[in-house]
Amino acid sequence: MTIQRSFELVDIVKETPKVSTFFFKFNKIAEPGQFLMVWVPGSEEVPMSVAYSDKKSIAISVAAIGPASNSLHAKKIGDYIGLRGPFGKPFTLKIGTKRIALVAGGYGAAPLGLFAERIKSSHKEVQIDSFLGARTREDLLFVKRLEKVSTVYISTNDGSTGHKGLVIEPFEQELKKKKFDCVYTCGPEMMEKAIFDICAKNNLDLQASLERIMKCGFGICGSCMMDDLILCIDGPVVEMRELKRLKEFGVSHRDKAGVLQYWKK
Amino acid sequence: MTIQRSFELVDIVKETPKVSTFFFKFNKIAEPGQFLMVWVPGSEEVPMSVAYSDKKSIAISVAAIGPASNSLHAKKIGDYIGLRGPFGKPFTLKIGTKRIALVAGGYGAAPLGLFAERIKSSHKEVQIDSFLGARTREDLLFVKRLEKVSTVYISTNDGSTGHKGLVIEPFEQELKKKKFDCVYTCGPEMMEKAIFDICAKNNLDLQASLERIMKCGFGICGSCMMDDLILCIDGPVVEMRELKRLKEFGVSHRDKAGVLQYWKK
Amino acid sequence: MANLRINLCGLTLKNPTVLAAGILGNTGEILKRISKHAGAVTTKSISLKPRDGHETPNIVELENKSLLNAMGLPNPGAENFLQELKIAKSGAESPIIVSCVGFSVDEFVKVAEKIGNLGDAVELDLSCPNTKGTLEFSQSPEVAAEVVSKVKKIVKKPVFAKLGPNVNKISEIAVACEKAGADGITAINTMPALAIDVETGKVILTNLSGGLSGAALRPVAVRCIYDIYENVRIPVIGTGGVLSGEDAAELMMAGATAVGMGTAAINEGPNAFKRISNELDKFLHRKGYKSAAELTGLAHKR
Amino acid sequence: MANLRINLCGLTLKNPTVLAAGILGNTGEILKRISKHAGAVTTKSISLKPRDGHETPNIVELENKSLLNAMGLPNPGAENFLQELKIAKSGAESPIIVSCVGFSVDEFVKVAEKIGNLGDAVELDLSCPNTKGTLEFSQSPEVAAEVVSKVKKIVKKPVFAKLGPNVNKISEIAVACEKAGADGITAINTMPALAIDVETGKVILTNLSGGLSGAALRPVAVRCIYDIYENVRIPVIGTGGVLSGEDAAELMMAGATAVGMGTAAINEGPNAFKRISNELDKFLHRKGYKSAAELTGLAHKR
Ligand SMILES: Cc1cc2nc3c(=O)[nH]c(=O)nc-3n(C[C@H](O)[C@H](O)[C@H](O)COP(=O)(O)OP(=O)(O)OC[C@H]3O[C@@H](n4cnc5c(N)ncnc54)[C@H](O)[C@@H]3O)c2cc1C
Ligand SMILES: Cc1cc2nc3c(=O)[nH]c(=O)nc-3n(C[C@H](O)[C@H](O)[C@H](O)COP(=O)(O)OP(=O)(O)OC[C@H]3O[C@@H](n4cnc5c(N)ncnc54)[C@H](O)[C@@H]3O)c2cc1C
Ligand SMILES: Cc1cc2nc3c(=O)[nH]c(=O)nc-3n(C[C@H](O)[C@H](O)[C@H](O)COP(=O)(O)O)c2cc1C
Ligand SMILES: Cc1cc2nc3c(=O)[nH]c(=O)nc-3n(C[C@H](O)[C@H](O)[C@H](O)COP(=O)(O)O)c2cc1C
Ligand code: FES
Ligand code: FES
């Protein structure tokens, strides 16, 4: 039999003007950082990080920006949406961890939000500092959700709330005062690269969730290859040790044909 | 994957000059009366009743009489033999049963032996009378096995031991003295038919294991059809209620092409 | 309850499930028994002379409810089958499709002459992969068409051409059959395959190769049905790997009017038809369809 | 430990497992990584120009470790692939088979000219069922032979012709390729199939049909390999549904010299090659075989 492809959309929560969270009836539990391949019947299939997950349901938080994401935003409760997965390596907590930092840009707050909740339910002792950044106040995602389980530092490009500027700045600030056992980041690659540089300089452990074109989710299409990593299998979460040796991180990615393309700086 | 086809032959026990019991490593448990499809690689596949069965092994007791059975007798410990199954409906014990009779001809003692042992391990209170028949003394199968769990009545055609004559005679004798809640029989069809007639006359419940050509074991080949029963699925054990309405029982059977053939009387 | 009734070439099927040819269908009594729940029943493929079929082993069980078989068309032959058909007709609760097979065009005609008008429809098994020569009837559009048109001259009942997947282009063969007068297509027969017992290094089936059926065949069947539906106007009895009501829905959405089932009936016995038509009913209800017939060809709408 | 080494047209494979074309094989670094455990690695099928492949969804997961895919041959194109091949060659630990694909005979020749001599062997993908026209190369003995003989004139390395199951008679095509000079056959490619999402009534793949691979394909692959082995003398890379060491043994007993794996590598990642060659080793040991090579064609002995 075809492994069940489409699942009932049971709830939609508008989070920001652009981002909504879509809840589905789904019985496989995902780990924070894992992703689903999401197909709106009649449209394309694209990867989406898991934002919530329990025994009965799963959710993704999607920014409406192009054909695939907009077609999902056009759906109503009761519709059926194709889901495959969960795929990939999740964020992990090392034994003995006392304090961590989460640095999120855009919908990166979704997997990090889930990660923070999971930590708080099983490892209450871990201190979490969350750094959230957005263009403007109303684009900030999961502020309340993260406030429940962590200390939140906000930045907006336009200064409409919190620190005016990049999310990196308050992070560097706190870094001077606190000892983070590990930093976790999910967001635009250039932001992640900047975090990586800071962590490398400060000898801090890091896990970054990387984004690539993913047309299959498990090792076929070749678009997600990054050096000798297959990001859909070996990632999307990649650890410091690996990040350090990756020549393509922050430099280049592959297009749908698998041709190497350089990021515009 | 091909569901495992061949299993290691781990022991061979010579029971009579013609019959040996073959033990295999096998992890499915069979009920008494169920059968296996047994394939000696390089030869044919034929049905065989289960003679012993536990979590780790299964056994069949086979009379060497023709090509298929002889090819099995030619095998050694360590060889691999194809087994499929177990298939079919087993003998069953009704609630409240106090005394039963087992009537076996030839290798019919194998499934009935297993049945008697299973009853004794879970329903100690049930009284069992076993009627075993054979041509001659040395052809008698499972006398000791059945003596452990039942009262055994022996008949041989040549009178070399026990009653001289048919197995039916001591059975009819005991019938006069005892009240059997159910009779169970497995052996040549004409013997079963005779038992059936006696039971019908005496208003006794009966379960008979019927034999037909079985080329598949689960409803395809059409050789085991008997009226509207598919004996490999609906049998081989058939209850009184069904036996009464079967026009072909003791009368006709089907050949490999599915053509109706009448038993020579 | 949704309306499960189907019109197949003028025959009324109480539900879309059909007993596929070659399984359980060689005696009148069994056909009658299965007709209680199946929308139609197909007989074993009947040849001119009785056939014992291939020596055992003739079947391999595969994982995931799939099978490999090389029965070799065991059947009592047309003459002996007259009596079985008579029994079947006396009290069958759904239409009887008489499957005919031949080892030459001429033999197809002779079998059809003998028994083709005694059921409610005829199916021509042009695609048995397990006997020498029989697969070829459906590997050439010309030969397939010749069998269909000659049988059509004799048989007054609807004639279905049964095709197999092991061809360059199944829709070409279907079109040829339609042009030759076929009233419907049955698709698909099994796919040639082979299994080896690695413990002994021996090919399992005495016939060496056999036909793959069941779950593994379903995606191939759905593709064939989809292609045929795009190219012909006559109805299709979709067959291949239907093990649940939703599987049946999938074949219908691909273009099937009715749905044949072989392996399901092997795995589960005659009860399969009741269970699967119940499941189909539930599916229709859950999704708000009023009738099973609405499903046919649904996936072709854009 | 049994001897797992295999000689394939003069190439030495450290074990019989081969990364099949189209999976994981589009960058030099990944090919290198997989070559650590696989006996040989096949590149993605490379066309003359870069191809994005079909729009997603391009894959359907089926029960029982089977897949349906219609990737549409995404690949960076021959020119861009030169660099990847250079990286792969610098440090690959097993032979690299360069898979070439074309949409005309001429294009096959051009791709082979550009990259055919840069690996250790060439495989001609004559049987991709998911792009218009590409399947036909292996559906006609003449066309298949033409591609093979023209490429043979250019390429100094062993040339394998990759065939698919969706033909009337695969052994005929294999014989034609052998006569045209092919050094080996790769069999089989995926089987055309289709899947519909019953909840929405929509065909899942954007390309509509796709190719069936994995467990469901294995019995078909075993049959094709068995047939080909009976009819040609050149070695066969058996491919289709190998998910365990015993599956690999089955394909080898049917006639394969080496064993390609696609779906296993998808299900499990690069680790599949290590696991399956370990399992094969254990199987050989348990059954008392001294070398993997002994298995090839074993099931043909009576
Ligand atoms: C691991 C991972 C997790 C992600 N998680 C989220 C998330 O939680 N929320 C969220 O909103 N987005 C997420 N994305 C991004 C998402 O996959 C899409 O890139 C995004 O929705 C934009 O696609 P679009 O078609 O709407 O718009 P555009 O960006 O305009 O895309 C144009 C076209 O490019 C192609 N395309 C773009 N991105 C991808 C991609 N990543 N893979 C394949 N094809 C692509 C498609 O054909 C698309 O139609 C994630 C991506 C990855 C790799
Ligand atoms: C439910 C059932 C349980 C059985 N249990 C036992 C048992 O426990 N012990 C035992 O010794 N025998 C049992 N038999 C009988 C057994 O299946 C064979 O009939 C018997 O072994 C004789 O086969 P043969 O080839 O040795 O000899 P022959 O009787 O000479 O047979 C000649 C040929 O006829 C065919 N043939 C004969 N019988 C069958 C059959 N039943 N099905 C298919 N083809 C057949 C074969 O092609 C065989 O080679 C059972 C039969 C059935 C139906
Ligand atoms: C054991 C077996 C015997 C079959 N015999 C015949 C036959 O005699 N004639 C025929 O047209 N098809 C025959 N078939 C093919 C089935 O009718 C059907 O087309 C095929 O099995 C696919 O359906 P399924 O997956 O539901 O089994 C046979 C199939 C099986 C499994
Ligand atoms: C996702 C996917 C992509 C494939 N792409 C190609 C390809 O580009 N060229 C090719 O010759 N075969 C391709 N194939 C076929 C495989 O190489 C292989 O022949 C087939 O999948 C059967 O093997 P498997 O069952 O081990 O997967 C592809 C198969 C899959 C599953
Ligand atoms: S998403 Fe296709 S290979 Fe990773
Ligand atoms: S044994 Fe074949 S139908 Fe019963």
Side-chain angles (χ1 to χ4, degrees):
Chain A
M1 231 191 56
T2 308
I3 291 180
Q4 193 184 354
R5 275 297 303 222
S6 63
F7 296 83
E8 200 181 336
L9 179 52
V10 289
D11 201 8
I12 305 174
V13 175
K14 198 163 174 71
E15 311 281 2
T16 77
K18 278 216 177 123
V19 176
S20 290
T21 301
F22 299 84
F23 289 84
F24 303 91
K25 249 193 221 163
F26 194 78
N27 63 9
K28 283 184 279 179
I29 293 193
E31 298 297 313
Q34 288 193 303
F35 65 95
L36 297 172
M37 294 297 294
V38 179
W39 167 53
V40 179
S43 172
E44 282 173 278
E45 189 185 48
V46 289
M48 292 287 171
S49 296
V50 174
Y52 293 95
S53 167
D54 60 29
K55 269 181 222 157
K56 287 184 183 160
S57 71
I58 203 158
I60 52 176
S61 297
V62 179
I65 51 171
S69 51
N70 278 319
S71 70
L72 187 59
H73 276 260
K75 288 289 167 178
K76 322 176 290 300
I77 289 174
D79 285 346
Y80 276 73
I81 304 295
L83 300 178
R84 288 194 293 129
F87 293 117
K89 292 236 166 77
F91 290 113
T92 54
L93 194 71
K94 290 202 180 113
I95 298 163
T97 299
K98 288 185 189 121
R99 181 179 281 278
I100 61 171
L102 312 180
V103 188
Y107 52 73
L112 290 174
L114 179 62
F115 186 50
E117 285 170 355
R118 289 275 172 96
I119 291 173
K120 275 295 162 187
S121 75
S122 58
H123 295 275
K124 289 213 175 59
E125 71 284 4
V126 178
Q127 298 287 321
I128 308 177
D129 289 323
S130 298
F131 301 87
L132 297 183
R135 219 170 26 82
T136 183
R137 178 191 192 122
E138 60 179 5
D139 284 352
L140 281 163
L141 186 64
F142 291 139
V143 176
K144 284 200 188 127
R145 184 182 183 193
L146 278 159
E147 277 172 355
K148 283 188 196 148
V149 288
S150 67
T151 311
V152 174
Y153 302 82
I154 286 172
S155 319
T156 51
N157 296 1
D158 64 0
S160 48
T161 183
H163 167 78
K164 179 175 169 150
L166 297 173
V167 68
I168 300 165
E169 290 146 12
F171 169 63
E172 279 200 287
Q173 212 84 54
E174 293 306 307
L175 208 57
K176 289 175 195 153
K177 302 182 231 164
K178 293 170 182 164
K179 197 193 154 307
F180 295 116
D181 295 308
C182 189
V183 178
Y184 297 84
T185 184
C186 184
E189 187 150 328
M190 292 313 145
M191 178 200 95
E192 296 185 334
K193 187 60 171 39
I195 301 286
F196 166 83
D197 290 337
I198 295 165
C199 290
K201 207 172 62 194
N202 290 279
N203 219 353
L204 273 178
D205 201 9
L206 173 68
Q207 294 186 11
S209 173
L210 304 180
E211 197 174 309
R212 284 293 178 275
I213 289 190
M214 293 190 176
K215 297 194 298 176
C216 70
F218 47 8
I220 308 167
C221 69
S223 288
C224 73
M225 309 294 179
M226 197 165 170
D227 294 67
D228 64 348
L229 294 188
I230 308 145
L231 264 199
C232 59
I233 300 174
D234 303 315
V237 176
V238 178
E239 296 200 33
M240 194 59 174
R241 189 171 30 90
E242 298 279 6
L243 290 168
K244 276 187 180 156
R245 62 173 191 85
L246 290 178
K247 296 193 201 80
E248 298 182 23
F249 175 45
V251 176
S252 58
H253 62 107
R254 290 183 187 267
D255 64 15
K256 287 183 174 179
V259 179
L260 207 61
Q261 304 287 354
Y262 290 84
W263 289 118
K264 287 170 222 123
K265 295 253 174 162
Chain B
M1 231 192 57
T2 308
I3 290 180
Q4 193 184 351
R5 275 297 304 221
S6 63
F7 296 83
E8 201 181 334
L9 178 53
V10 290
D11 201 7
I12 305 175
V13 175
K14 198 163 174 71
E15 311 282 3
T16 77
K18 277 212 178 127
V19 177
S20 289
T21 302
F22 299 84
F23 290 83
F24 303 92
K25 250 193 221 162
F26 194 79
N27 61 10
K28 284 185 279 180
I29 294 194
E31 298 298 314
Q34 288 194 302
F35 65 94
L36 296 171
M37 292 298 294
V38 179
W39 166 54
V40 179
S43 172
E44 282 173 277
E45 189 185 47
V46 288
M48 291 286 168
S49 296
V50 174
Y52 294 95
S53 167
D54 61 29
K55 268 183 222 153
K56 288 185 183 159
S57 71
I58 204 159
I60 51 176
S61 296
V62 180
I65 49 170
S69 50
N70 279 319
S71 71
L72 188 59
H73 276 261
K75 288 288 167 178
K76 317 176 293 302
I77 289 174
D79 284 346
Y80 276 72
I81 304 295
L83 301 177
R84 290 194 292 128
F87 293 116
K89 292 235 168 75
F91 290 112
T92 54
L93 194 72
K94 290 201 181 117
I95 298 163
T97 299
K98 288 185 189 120
R99 181 180 281 277
I100 62 172
L102 310 180
V103 188
Y107 51 74
L112 290 174
L114 179 63
F115 186 51
E117 284 169 356
R118 290 275 173 94
I119 291 173
K120 276 296 163 187
S121 75
S122 59
H123 296 274
K124 289 213 174 54
E125 72 284 3
V126 178
Q127 300 287 321
I128 309 177
D129 289 323
S130 299
F131 301 87
L132 297 182
R135 218 171 26 83
T136 183
R137 178 193 193 121
E138 60 180 4
D139 283 352
L140 280 162
L141 187 63
F142 292 139
V143 177
K144 284 200 188 126
R145 185 183 183 192
L146 279 159
E147 278 173 353
K148 284 188 196 148
V149 288
S150 67
T151 310
V152 174
Y153 302 82
I154 286 173
S155 321
T156 51
N157 297 2
D158 64 0
S160 49
T161 183
H163 167 78
K164 178 173 171 156
L166 297 174
V167 69
I168 300 166
E169 291 145 12
F171 169 64
E172 279 199 287
Q173 212 83 55
E174 294 305 308
L175 208 57
K176 291 175 194 152
K177 305 181 229 165
K178 294 168 181 163
K179 196 193 155 308
F180 295 115
D181 294 307
C182 190
V183 178
Y184 298 85
T185 185
C186 184
E189 189 151 326
M190 291 314 145
M191 178 197 95
E192 296 184 336
K193 186 62 172 34
I195 301 287
F196 166 82
D197 288 339
I198 297 167
C199 291
K201 207 173 60 194
N202 290 281
N203 220 355
L204 272 177
D205 201 7
L206 173 68
Q207 294 186 11
S209 173
L210 304 180
E211 197 174 308
R212 283 293 179 273
I213 289 191
M214 293 191 175
K215 297 193 299 175
C216 70
F218 47 9
I220 308 165
C221 70
S223 289
C224 73
M225 309 296 180
M226 197 165 171
D227 293 68
D228 65 348
L229 294 188
I230 307 145
L231 265 198
C232 59
I233 300 173
D234 302 315
V237 175
V238 178
E239 296 199 32
M240 194 60 175
R241 187 172 30 90
E242 298 280 8
L243 289 167
K244 278 188 179 155
R245 63 172 191 84
L246 290 179
K247 296 192 202 78
E248 299 183 22
F249 175 43
V251 175
S252 58
H253 62 106
R254 288 182 189 268
D255 65 14
K256 287 184 174 178
V259 179
L260 207 62
Q261 305 287 355
Y262 290 84
W263 289 118
K264 289 172 220 120
K265 294 249 176 167
Chain C
M1 235 188 75
N3 179 4
L4 292 180
R5 205 163 300 152
I6 288 289
N7 175 334
L8 181 68
C9 300
L11 302 173
T12 300
L13 276 56
K14 58 181 172 264
N15 67 57
T17 68
V18 176
L19 171 68
I23 294 101
L24 295 168
N26 75 324
T27 77
E29 291 293 348
I30 303 286
L31 288 165
K32 254 159 66 174
R33 174 171 162 195
I34 293 170
S35 75
K36 292 206 175 80
H37 298 296
V41 292
T42 312
T43 68
K44 261 203 191 270
S45 294
I46 304 299
S47 54
L48 196 55
K49 298 264 164 288
R51 288 177 55 85
D52 280 357
H54 297 313
E55 273 204 1
T56 56
N58 48 26
I59 194 115
V60 183
E61 290 173 73
L62 304 169
E63 269 181 353
N64 194 27
K65 303 190 178 178
S66 301
L67 287 178
L68 212 60
N69 90 84
M71 302 308 292
L73 298 170
N75 79 87
E79 184 64 38
N80 287 311
F81 204 61
L82 289 172
Q83 174 63 9
E84 304 294 343
L85 269 176
K86 214 169 121 188
I87 296 172
K89 283 299 287 179
S90 72
E93 297 173 33
S94 59
I96 296 166
I97 304 171
V98 178
S99 173
C100 302
V101 70
F103 294 81
S104 66
V105 177
D106 197 43
E107 207 177 319
F108 267 105
V109 173
K110 282 194 180 133
V111 174
E113 260 169 357
K114 207 154 190 94
I115 56 174
N117 285 306
L118 303 180
D120 303 293
V122 159
E123 185 172 283
L124 299 170
D125 179 3
L126 302 172
S127 48
C128 178
N130 303 328
T131 47
K132 218 171 137 35
T134 46
L135 177 58
E136 271 115 63
F137 292 105
S138 74
Q139 287 197 327
S140 140
E142 293 77 28
V143 180
E146 189 188 344
V147 179
V148 169
S149 66
K150 290 206 169 140
V151 169
K152 272 300 284 182
K153 292 207 183 89
I154 300 159
V155 171
K156 306 276 157 286
K157 317 271 171 167
V159 171
F160 289 80
K162 176 137 179 202
L163 306 183
N166 201 44
V167 293
N168 287 353
K169 214 161 183 254
I170 195 168
S171 58
E172 262 177 20
I173 317 283
V175 167
C177 291
E178 181 181 41
K179 285 201 185 126
D183 301 281
I185 302 291
T186 305
I188 56 177
N189 214 313
T190 56
M191 175 76 190
L194 187 145
I196 294 166
D197 175 53
V198 293
E199 293 298 341
T200 56
K202 298 243 185 285
V203 176
I204 299 173
L205 297 173
T206 307
N207 186 52
L208 303 178
S209 78
L212 181 66
S213 66
L217 190 66
R218 206 180 72 256
V220 177
V222 173
R223 185 260 304 168
C224 291
I225 296 163
Y226 191 94
D227 281 356
I228 292 169
Y229 185 86
E230 295 257 297
N231 289 284
V232 305
R233 254 144 310 181
I234 51 178
V236 178
I237 305 180
T239 307
V242 170
L243 301 168
S244 74
E246 306 198 347
D247 293 344
E250 186 178 4
L251 268 66
M252 295 184 77
M253 288 169 165
T257 295
V259 174
M261 299 178 350
T263 305
I266 297 169
N267 287 330
E268 194 176 349
N271 192 43
F273 299 92
K274 194 173 174 181
R275 175 181 62 85
I276 292 177
S277 64
N278 280 346
E279 284 177 8
L280 182 63
D281 189 21
K282 275 192 203 130
F283 171 80
L284 293 168
H285 184 79
R286 176 165 70 81
K287 301 299 290 184
Y289 297 103
K290 296 219 168 42
S291 73
E294 285 172 53
L295 297 181
T296 300
L298 211 63
H300 295 260
K301 300 203 182 110
R302 287 298 138 67
Chain D
M1 234 187 76
N3 180 4
L4 292 179
R5 206 164 299 152
I6 287 289
N7 176 335
L8 182 69
C9 300
L11 302 173
T12 300
L13 276 55
K14 58 180 171 266
N15 67 57
T17 68
V18 176
L19 171 68
I23 294 103
L24 294 168
N26 75 325
T27 78
E29 291 294 349
I30 304 285
L31 287 165
K32 254 160 64 175
R33 175 173 162 195
I34 293 169
S35 75
K36 290 205 175 80
H37 297 296
V41 292
T42 312
T43 68
K44 259 199 192 275
S45 294
I46 304 298
S47 54
L48 196 56
K49 298 264 165 286
R51 288 177 54 86
D52 281 357
H54 298 312
E55 272 203 5
T56 57
N58 48 28
I59 194 116
V60 183
E61 289 172 73
L62 304 169
E63 268 181 352
N64 192 28
K65 304 192 175 172
S66 301
L67 287 177
L68 212 60
N69 91 84
M71 302 308 292
L73 298 170
N75 79 87
E79 183 65 38
N80 287 312
F81 203 64
L82 289 172
Q83 174 64 12
E84 304 294 343
L85 270 176
K86 212 169 122 185
I87 294 171
K89 284 298 287 178
S90 73
E93 297 173 32
S94 59
I96 296 166
I97 303 170
V98 179
S99 173
C100 302
V101 70
F103 295 81
S104 65
V105 177
D106 197 44
E107 208 179 318
F108 267 106
V109 172
K110 281 192 180 137
V111 174
E113 259 169 359
K114 206 153 190 95
I115 57 174
N117 285 305
L118 302 180
D120 302 295
V122 159
E123 185 172 282
L124 299 171
D125 179 2
L126 302 172
S127 48
C128 178
N130 304 327
T131 48
K132 219 172 136 36
T134 46
L135 177 58
E136 271 116 64
F137 292 106
S138 73
Q139 287 197 325
S140 139
E142 294 76 29
V143 180
E146 189 187 346
V147 179
V148 170
S149 67
K150 289 205 170 141
V151 168
K152 271 300 282 183
K153 293 209 181 88
I154 299 158
V155 171
K156 304 279 158 284
K157 317 271 172 168
V159 171
F160 289 79
K162 176 139 181 202
L163 306 183
N166 201 44
V167 294
N168 287 356
K169 212 160 182 251
I170 194 169
S171 58
E172 262 178 20
I173 318 282
V175 168
C177 290
E178 181 181 40
K179 284 200 184 128
D183 301 282
I185 302 289
T186 305
I188 56 177
N189 214 314
T190 55
M191 175 78 192
L194 188 145
I196 295 166
D197 176 54
V198 293
E199 294 298 339
T200 56
K202 296 244 185 285
V203 176
I204 300 173
L205 297 173
T206 306
N207 187 52
L208 303 178
S209 78
L212 180 66
S213 66
L217 191 65
R218 207 182 69 256
V220 178
V222 173
R223 185 259 305 169
C224 291
I225 295 163
Y226 191 95
D227 281 355
I228 293 170
Y229 184 86
E230 295 257 295
N231 289 283
V232 305
R233 252 144 310 180
I234 50 178
V236 178
I237 306 179
T239 307
V242 171
L243 300 168
S244 74
E246 305 198 346
D247 293 346
E250 185 178 5
L251 268 66
M252 295 184 77
M253 287 169 166
T257 296
V259 173
M261 299 177 350
T263 306
I266 296 169
N267 287 331
E268 191 176 350
N271 193 43
F273 299 92
K274 195 175 173 178
R275 174 182 62 83
I276 292 177
S277 63
N278 280 345
E279 285 177 6
L280 182 63
D281 190 20
K282 274 190 204 130
F283 171 80
L284 294 168
H285 184 78
R286 176 166 70 80
K287 301 299 292 183
Y289 297 104
K290 296 220 166 44
S291 73
E294 286 171 51
L295 297 182
T296 300
L298 211 62
H300 295 261
K301 301 205 178 108
R302 287 297 138 68

